[in-house]
Amino acid sequence: MTHFNLTAIIIRERVCWAVNRLKKTPLYEEHLKLKAKMVEFHGWLLPLQYSGILAEHNAVRNAAGLFDVSHMGEISVKGEGSEASLQYILTNDISAMAPGRALYSPMCYPDGGIVDDLLVYKLDEESYMLVVNAANVERDRQWLLLHASGAKIEDISDRYAQLALQGPNSLEILQRLTPQPVNEIGFFRFKSNVSIGSASALLSRTGYTGEDGFEIYLDAAEAPTLWQRLLDAGSSLGLVPAGLGARDTLRFEACLPLYGNELSEKVTPLEAGLDRFVKFNKDFIGKEALWAQKEGGVRRRIAGLELLDPGVPRQGYEVRADGKAVGVVTSGSFAPYLKKYLALALLNSDFSREGQKLLVSIRGKEHRATVVPTPFYRRSGKV
């Protein structure tokens, strides 16, 4: 055996070992059948794209896309103390939630930095399901265990697969597979035990694309069959499978924050522009620090940038004005639907006003940019 062949075998075995260590969703084999390009994402092996990011992005904007988001975490919070615990742990106010409602909230450290951002589903008066970011599941669980009182905290992520059906045709596609009148489910509302095809699911009118759509939580074993049935039902309405790449460009155009980019333990909800999800009429972890920041003036903010010179502004690129650094790009891309080079950036507040002229340093070259309103994209019509 030559040295070259031995080296190739070693490399192949190392790649196989690395791939086998990664978590796979219940739909892994379906992605392989569709010849998806698979990538590592926070310890998971997930589809980046099928037909291409641009095609999948525009399909969601114009028709519909089906995403496998089973890597997201689910944490159960149950018991007599569940509402009081979540009311104290989360910045948003859950006291008025009725069963069947969903709510978005940051979860903060005492200094106001963000532990995670999540969705809260109220299942009944003493039972909630939190949907958290894949990279933060264990950290979130530990934080909840530390601060919850009289509530049982359990990571139930392995029980669920999660599909996201997004786009203007999503309602019509879904209706082909269920007797449930899905148009009656309002935005940030959900129904449990909905029959979809042969599966029973929690059906939520939520999403992460800026479009109307649904997120479907179901038993992991039922996911492959429902995945295929949805693709079959939606084929005549333009439905395509869509991967992580399009999910990121879609959420970016709609200016939906991403943990690790716009949000982190070093960024507060007020700096991230999430003021409406921080309720100072109640007590919560981080309230004192956030109130002091609010009263003293928020010194930096997430703002939108449009580049006047073509170039992709990546996360971490410096933003400059008057010969000095005034911020940093948190997310940037060519926006496929809007056909513009755009960025979200954490800027010194004095430089975050609409119309402000700035420079973004891209690979050592300064590109002209201006602060523009967010979100970059807003769909027409209402749910």
Side-chain angles (χ1 to χ4, degrees):
M1 181 179 293
T2 66
H3 176 71
F4 175 80
N5 288 338
L6 180 59
T7 301
I9 290 171
I10 291 171
I11 292 172
R12 186 164 60 248
E13 287 181 348
R14 285 179 177 175
V15 169
C16 290
W17 177 80
V19 168
N20 288 333
R21 287 181 65 242
L22 297 174
K23 298 178 183 177
K24 301 178 181 69
T25 77
L27 294 167
Y28 175 73
E29 296 297 332
E30 302 304 312
H31 304 318
L32 296 185
K33 292 176 187 175
L34 292 168
K35 302 188 184 310
K37 180 179 180 181
M38 306 298 287
V39 295
E40 187 276 334
F41 182 77
H42 294 302
W44 290 84
L45 194 57
L46 298 173
L48 175 68
Q49 60 183 15
Y50 303 84
S51 56
I53 293 173
L54 293 180
E56 292 163 25
H57 180 110
N58 288 317
V60 174
R61 287 279 181 256
N62 295 303
L66 182 62
F67 300 82
D68 175 13
V69 285
S70 303
H71 61 291
M72 297 292 285
E74 290 85 21
I75 297 176
S76 169
V77 181
K78 286 185 177 181
E80 187 176 344
S82 55
E83 180 181 317
S85 293
L86 290 175
Q87 186 75 331
Y88 175 64
I89 293 169
L90 304 178
T91 66
N92 209 341
D93 187 352
I94 71 164
S95 62
M97 286 182 75
R101 295 284 297 270
L103 175 144
Y104 173 84
S105 181
M107 179 166 66
C108 287
Y109 293 108
D111 66 0
I114 301 172
V115 180
D116 203 359
D117 67 320
L118 51 88
L119 284 180
V120 184
Y121 288 88
K122 185 166 184 176
L123 305 176
D124 60 43
E125 293 301 336
E126 295 185 358
S127 181
Y128 298 81
M129 183 175 74
L130 310 184
V131 180
V132 304
N133 286 297
N136 298 339
V137 177
E138 182 56 21
R139 181 173 66 178
D140 290 356
R141 187 183 74 89
Q142 292 294 338
W143 188 253
L144 290 162
L145 285 170
L146 183 62
H147 296 286
S149 178
K152 180 182 178 182
I153 310 299
E154 184 181 4
D155 178 6
I156 56 173
S157 305
D158 289 344
R159 301 180 193 174
Y160 288 100
Q162 183 187 346
L163 311 184
L165 178 63
Q166 301 283 295
N169 292 347
S170 58
L171 188 150
E172 185 176 351
I173 294 166
L174 189 60
Q175 195 64 77
R176 293 179 174 185
L177 293 179
T178 178
Q180 170 76 42
V182 290
N183 63 306
E184 294 181 357
I185 302 175
F187 190 50
F188 269 68
R189 305 292 196 276
F190 69 92
K191 293 282 187 181
S192 299
N193 302 315
V194 176
S195 176
I196 308 174
S198 58
S200 178
L202 185 154
L203 179 62
S204 171
R205 202 160 189 177
T206 49
Y208 193 52
T209 62
E211 295 298 335
D212 187 16
F214 299 85
E215 291 178 312
I216 305 166
Y217 301 84
L218 72 162
D219 186 281
E222 297 181 306
T225 298
L226 182 57
W227 171 268
Q228 190 57 55
R229 293 199 67 175
L230 284 166
L231 289 176
D232 291 343
S235 61
S236 63
L237 291 170
L239 177 64
V240 302
L244 287 177
R247 189 168 187 256
D248 189 52
T249 55
L250 287 159
R251 74 90 196 165
F252 170 71
E253 279 190 342
C255 294
L256 299 172
L258 175 63
Y259 195 91
N261 290 50
E262 287 68 50
L263 311 177
S264 76
E265 68 276 4
K266 296 180 180 179
V267 177
T268 74
L270 304 186
E271 293 171 333
L274 302 178
D275 310 51
R276 64 190 182 280
F277 304 111
V278 179
K279 307 301 183 184
F280 288 108
N281 62 341
K282 61 154 197 159
D283 192 25
F284 60 86
I285 298 171
K287 178 179 179 178
E288 185 175 339
L290 292 177
W291 181 255
Q293 186 177 59
K294 179 180 174 68
E295 289 294 286
V298 180
R299 296 181 181 179
R300 55 182 192 165
R301 297 181 183 276
I302 293 288
L305 301 179
E306 180 177 343
L307 272 71
L308 306 179
D309 301 316
V312 179
R314 305 292 186 190
Q315 182 187 21
Y317 285 4
E318 190 174 76
V319 181
R320 301 181 62 82
D322 302 331
K324 62 182 179 181
V326 297
V328 63
V329 171
T330 57
S331 294
S333 176
F334 175 74
Y337 187 78
L338 300 173
K339 295 180 172 55
K340 297 178 180 179
Y341 292 94
L342 301 169
L344 292 170
L346 187 60
L347 302 176
N348 296 348
S349 294
D350 290 343
F351 295 89
S352 65
R353 290 183 291 272
E354 184 179 340
Q356 173 72 49
K357 303 300 182 184
L358 298 167
L359 295 170
V360 179
S361 180
I362 301 178
R363 296 179 180 177
K365 183 179 179 181
E366 292 186 334
H367 291 240
R368 294 173 301 146
T370 187
V371 176
V372 294
T374 56
F376 305 133
Y377 170 83
R378 192 189 301 272
R379 67 183 177 85
S380 59
K382 295 181 180 180
V383 176

